[in-house]
Amino acid sequence: MGNASILELNVDSSLEVYYGETFGSEDLKLLEVDEPILQEILDRGVVIRGGLNDEAVLCTSSRTYAIKFVMSSNTILIMPPPSSHGSSASGEELDTKSETGGKRTASAMAAATGHLELVEVAPNFEKLKSLLSERLYGEDTDSMDVEESTSGLYTWDDLLEKLQLSEKELQEGLKSLAAVQVGGFWRLVDKKYMHCVFELILLNAMQHDWSLQGLKEKEVVSALMADGYSAQIVIHCLATYGQRVSLAFEAGIASNGSYDLDSHVWELNERHVCLHYANQLLSSASRWRVDDFVDAWQQNLPSGVQASLDMLKGKILIEKLGSDSWLYPFSVANLPSNPAERFAALFRERPRWEWEDLEPYISDLRAPGKSVDALLLKYTRRTQPTAETPPIFTAR
Amino acid sequence: SECREWALLELQGVLEIQPSAQHLPLNAFSIGSLSRSQQEKYYFTIGYHELEGKKVSLKKPMLVLQKVLRADPIDVESSPVVLSTQYPTQVQKTSELKAIGIIRHKILFKTRPKALISK
């Protein structure tokens, strides 16, 4: 270990540079960083993930970066600061017991052949979705008490291990997929099953005259448990299609006037309720005259809930055939998440798009460093016949 | 957490050990002599070559990363009892690295070396 720092060499002085004791056996890497992630890496270290088939990525708690190695033809010696005990960095107080006999020295711990650079990448949730789809949580699962085999089931740690996502991204992915943690494993609930549970909640609400803005968790859970549904799934359903409201005093006070602290109250999201019934209609017939659809839709909804076609943006497309308007399902959730593929799919469906129709099908696209405008510029051609008519987008 | 400032000494070319010294342990001898003449001029004398360079600030800081040591996997052959399991065992594919230093400056030598040969 050297006793001086090469950075603090004074004018008209010199030092000897030595190979360090562990030179050649140290595996050190140089990583170029931006100031923002510098502190995080210092505090928490960093993890590099990547199997044989994936490219290596570096994950901080919030973001994922692809790693690029930039080779250098130079000889780069990595010089640690002098050991903290003994002489000062400038070498003025010399350690007379040192082997160098009082000379100023610096030692190289390793030589680098280049450095690592980080390139921010957009998280890919496709693999997460496919892993969690291996064993969907469905009707069969709920009726079993304990699942026997754990193959195809993944815990949080398993998912971090297998996926190239940072913790925050994994959290985001799980939330976007409406995954639920059951028995320590993250599960995707079978869509049909979720709709089934939701339908039952709505039916019970109608039957018992419960307000959809103030559903009492205890009541909902006990009603559905009587039909064989697990509390966890019922609560997951409430959380997916609504949100917890802050404890309303009216809801919390029991009939004898005492304050019921256990009473969690949920408010169902009006849009989700409307979508639920819209989906039912679309499953029964895939093409509807718009007027017929709106009538049937409103009729099926619980009282007090107002539907509007705007709620179906990104889920249906409307086309004019003669004097009639027809709608059919076209969901953004079924489209590729990769921008190039997404635009290709959209233009296959329709060669020309108005902005109002196009927007819901591209607003979720993520490309690192690219705004929606940049993506539009890259993949579409914009024309605007006159200043009054809306712009039209076609394939580039 | 604290991380001290390290430095880089960068030069063009490759360092070679003379055949006569190859049997010696690496840290038995110095690579060369580094000196600073004026405020901005650094000299590095390696063997009979003298390099002239200067201190440069990196445009982006660099971290020196070292692998966090994990216990070595047990030598399979030496274990008398082996667990046979239906569950696929997973090969660790992540490496944890710890930052042990920050680098913001380097001393860079990129001019042609001058040969110091006494006549």
Side-chain angles (χ1 to χ4, degrees), chain A residues 9 11-12 17 29 74-75, chain B residues 10-11 13 30-31 36-37 65:
Chain A
L9 198 56
V11 174
D12 287 333
V17 179
K29 298 187 195 314
N74 289 351
T75 293
Chain B
E10 186 171 338
L11 43 114
S30 78
I31 298 171
R36 186 178 181 189
S37 67
L65 301 178

Side-chain angles (χ1 to χ4, degrees), chain A residues 115-128:
Chain A
H115 68 273
L116 300 172
E117 266 183 12
L118 300 178
V119 180
E120 200 175 328
V121 292
N124 183 345
F125 297 139
E126 305 283 348
K127 201 173 169 195
L128 172 64

